[in-house]
Amino acid sequence: MVANIFVDLPGGLKMPALGYGTWQSTDKELEDAVELALQAGYRHIDTAYVYENEKVIGKVISRWISQGKLKREDLFLVTKLPGSGNRPEAVKKFLKRSLENLQVDYIDLYLIHVPFGFKDIEGDLHPVTPEGEIDIDVATNHVGIWKEMERNVESGWVKSIGVSNFNIKQIQRILNNARIRPVSLQIELHAYFQQKELVKFCKDNNIVVTCYSPLGAPGLGKFLEQFGQQIDMPDILGNTVVTDIAKKYNKTPAQVLLRHCLQKGLVAIPKSVTPKRIHENIDIFDFKLNDQDMEKLNGLDQGPAARILDFSAFKGIKKHPEYPF
Ligand SMILES: NC(=O)c1ccc[n+]([C@@H]2O[C@H](COP(=O)([O-])OP(=O)(O)OC[C@H]3O[C@@H](n4cnc5c(N)ncnc54)[C@H](OP(=O)(O)O)[C@@H]3O)[C@@H](O)[C@H]2O)c1
């Protein structure tokens, strides 16, 4: 069993610093991959209602629990309220569905997935207007949604709550109005886009930062092509600073990038459905990058220009008053 590092969350929960991402996998490949991930020692799984894969994950988890191979309390399960659930009266409905899909009694960390809201149209998570734009709901009220998130902590359906893709102003507004504070912020964060100001803000406010796309999301370009979007994907794994450091430690570029996140006190949730990579990505607890190599990797930061996922695949999303970037 891999000895993960645990990050302490306010309230006493322990979050494994290296988790398993699940976006963009087909049901078949994901069932095998989650099985392998649990065997490899992952105990933190990141999903979301919009990934439409919670049922597959739930199937594997419940199999492991019923076979006595896994205790529920040893698993840290993260899922997210979809954009179409971004209104107070919809929070419970979507949370209940996630609990049913995942076949669990509680979620360890429930996140508001995005700060902008869509119309809630049954059976259509990303409704589109006749003009072809995403059908936004401009009335999105973070404070009202947060109060519902808090109620679900009190009812025991979730152990902790947080946000994803929020900016400083949006998080501060929640902090100003919260009885239960957000314990975590999940954002795009990798060597080219290190979000230093936002990370400092979170550290100052005792909010754990989880890095999504920690490898630079090499599969995303192909995915976005389906939406007619062409973007220049960075090749962080092939950057010579990263590959040289990897050679020095006899590790892979992915392992170096993940270690870089963890040594900065961050949590990382790489996604892979490839058996060799599933093992590789969690095999990062037998080496430590020295200060000079950490500095070299810190120096790869290119700031906001290196953001990969700005949600512009949702045509018209920037018109939403809570568009965060
Ligand atoms: N909150 C949000 O809005 C948000 C947004 C994006 C992502 N996320 C979460 O964060 C997770 C990770 O982000 P991501 O999937 O965008 O990007 P990522 O983890 O940086 O990259 C995943 C891609 O890298 C490949 N890969 C994985 N391990 C590798 C390795 N060791 N060497 C070479 N290539 C490797 C994977 O391919 P194979 O699978 O084919 O191996 C996949 O194409 C997601 O799965 C999701 O759970 C959250």
Side-chain angles (χ1 to χ4, degrees):
M1 183 73 180
V2 174
N4 214 320
I5 295 171
F6 289 85
V7 174
D8 289 315
L9 297 182
L13 274 181
K14 288 189 177 298
M15 183 181 194
L18 199 279
Y20 180 70
T22 63
W23 186 36
Q24 291 174 55
S25 344
T26 63
D27 278 7
K28 174 70 189 101
E29 62 189 6
L30 191 60
E31 183 170 350
D32 294 344
V34 174
E35 176 75 32
L36 252 186
L38 289 172
Q39 283 169 15
Y42 291 82
R43 289 294 179 269
H44 165 180
I45 298 179
D46 180 80
T47 181
Y49 187 82
V50 289
Y51 299 168
E52 298 185 273
N53 62 17
E54 290 174 324
K55 282 189 181 162
V56 177
I57 295 169
K59 188 174 161 191
V60 182
I61 293 171
S62 79
R63 192 163 65 220
W64 271 62
I65 292 176
S66 67
Q67 291 174 352
K69 294 195 288 187
L70 177 71
K71 289 195 193 114
R72 172 68 188 89
E73 60 270 28
D74 292 335
L75 184 67
F76 193 93
L77 201 49
V78 183
T79 194
K80 314 181 190 95
L81 177 72
S84 51
N86 267 350
R87 59 191 60 72
E89 61 277 17
V91 176
K92 195 172 260 176
K93 173 180 85 174
F94 282 103
L95 174 58
K96 215 167 154 233
R97 288 183 187 174
S98 287
L99 289 166
E100 280 164 14
N101 289 342
L102 289 161
Q103 301 186 45
V104 291
D105 299 329
Y106 67 88
I107 303 296
D108 293 278
L109 173 60
Y110 196 52
L111 303 176
I112 303 178
H113 200 151
V114 284
F116 40 78
F118 310 138
K119 298 269 170 61
D120 185 6
I121 294 170
E122 193 56 43
D124 192 352
L125 286 168
H126 301 115
V128 171
T129 64
E131 292 73 40
E133 294 197 338
I134 185 87
D135 204 353
I136 55 177
D137 172 8
V138 292
T140 308
N141 165 5
H142 292 166
V143 173
I145 296 166
W146 193 254
K147 287 193 190 317
E148 284 304 311
M149 298 285 281
E150 289 172 329
R151 280 195 190 105
N152 289 312
V153 178
E154 285 154 354
S155 71
W157 282 7
V158 302
K159 295 273 183 208
S160 65
I161 46 181
V163 293
S164 179
N165 298 301
F166 276 47
N167 63 29
I168 290 180
K169 200 171 137 212
Q170 292 166 330
I171 302 169
Q172 187 62 62
R173 194 198 295 137
I174 291 201
L175 288 172
N176 293 345
N177 291 281
R179 282 183 297 114
I180 302 175
R181 293 162 63 89
V183 298
S184 183
L185 169 72
Q186 187 178 120
I187 43 170
E188 177 181 338
L189 199 153
H190 43 74
Y192 284 4
F193 184 35
Q194 298 187 29
Q195 305 241 40
K196 288 177 182 163
E197 194 192 350
L198 189 47
V199 168
K200 180 174 184 314
F201 173 84
C202 286
K203 286 215 162 121
D204 292 346
N205 284 285
N206 208 12
I207 295 171
V208 171
V209 173
T210 298
C211 314
Y212 74 65
S213 307
L215 307 177
L220 189 65
K222 218 170 145 206
F223 176 78
L224 291 176
E225 276 173 21
Q226 301 168 61
F227 302 94
Q229 216 195 358
Q230 297 263 321
I231 53 169
D232 279 338
M233 292 299 297
D235 180 16
I236 313 178
L237 291 165
N239 181 294
T240 52
V241 171
V242 179
T243 55
D244 285 352
I245 294 175
K247 271 184 216 134
K248 178 172 156 187
Y249 291 87
N250 202 17
K251 285 283 172 183
T252 67
Q255 290 170 323
V256 166
L257 293 176
L258 296 171
R259 196 66 218 186
H260 180 228
C261 292
L262 265 55
Q263 284 186 217
K264 289 198 292 185
L266 310 174
V267 169
I269 46 170
K271 172 262 175 187
S272 178
V273 290
T274 310
K276 183 178 161 290
R277 292 172 176 172
I278 291 173
H279 283 282
E280 177 185 325
N281 294 345
I282 201 170
D283 182 19
I284 59 167
F285 298 104
D286 60 352
F287 78 112
K288 188 169 184 278
L289 298 166
N290 67 27
D291 291 349
Q292 292 92 318
D293 292 327
M294 283 297 288
E295 273 313 309
K296 282 186 199 162
L297 293 161
N298 290 344
L300 293 178
D301 190 19
Q302 299 170 6
R307 183 190 300 282
I308 301 166
L309 196 66
D310 68 356
F311 297 97
S312 53
F314 300 135
K315 208 168 154 228
I317 193 60
K318 293 184 184 176
K319 293 179 189 166
H320 195 288
E322 294 291 354
Y323 180 76
F325 311 136

